[in-house]
Amino acid sequence: MGQTRSAKFQIGQIVRHRVFPFRGVIYDVDPVFANTEEWWLSIPEEVRPSKDQPFYHLLAENDESEYVAYVSEQNLVADGSEEPLRHAQIGDYFDGRDGDLYVSRDRGLN
């Protein structure tokens, strides 16, 4: 079996896709692929990522819309821009932005 790798990005971090024109904030991380086989096979083979890497759940947006995306680590880069994100669900997961990171809401855990 492959080695377990630690995630390169963290919850609250703003990232952008390496190929496609969208960016977003990470709200959850899977250590390895945890979506459906159908979803994975729907990705064109020439750009289909390996399943043996972290996958990130993003509150994503592009010029036209806001949506949820599931993206492999190899297809993400840190977003160094200061542009604010407008995704309507950000407030469901985060209290606000502190520099380059969104601060997770306190979910009643002490």
Side-chain angles (χ1 to χ4, degrees):
M1 297 269 184
Q3 267 188 315
T4 302
R5 299 192 344 220
S6 57
K8 180 177 176 182
F9 303 110
Q10 61 183 305
I11 291 174
Q13 190 168 357
I14 303 161
V15 292
R16 68 175 58 238
H17 197 280
R18 190 180 295 278
V19 179
F20 300 110
F22 71 85
R23 59 195 289 262
V25 59
I26 296 166
Y27 71 91
D28 198 7
V29 182
D30 293 333
V32 294
F33 180 80
N35 207 328
T36 64
E37 189 70 10
E38 181 181 43
W39 183 92
W40 190 73
L41 291 172
S42 74
I43 301 168
E45 195 170 351
E46 64 274 8
V47 295
R48 192 177 298 151
S50 161
K51 292 181 180 179
D52 189 21
Q53 63 180 312
F55 275 72
Y56 299 85
H57 299 261
L58 306 181
L59 297 176
E61 59 189 55
N62 60 27
D63 290 341
E64 293 85 42
S65 64
E66 301 169 7
Y67 51 97
V68 172
Y70 190 64
V71 186
S72 64
E73 186 169 273
Q74 73 187 55
N75 283 322
L76 290 176
V77 293
D79 181 291
S81 76
E82 295 294 317
E83 296 172 50
L85 290 166
R86 66 179 192 278
H87 199 290
Q89 290 179 280
I90 287 175
D92 295 344
Y93 294 90
F94 303 101
D95 279 332
R97 187 168 169 173
D98 183 9
D100 290 343
L101 292 176
Y102 277 86
V103 179
S104 291
R105 280 193 166 282
D106 178 3
R107 303 230 179 226
L109 303 174
N110 291 326

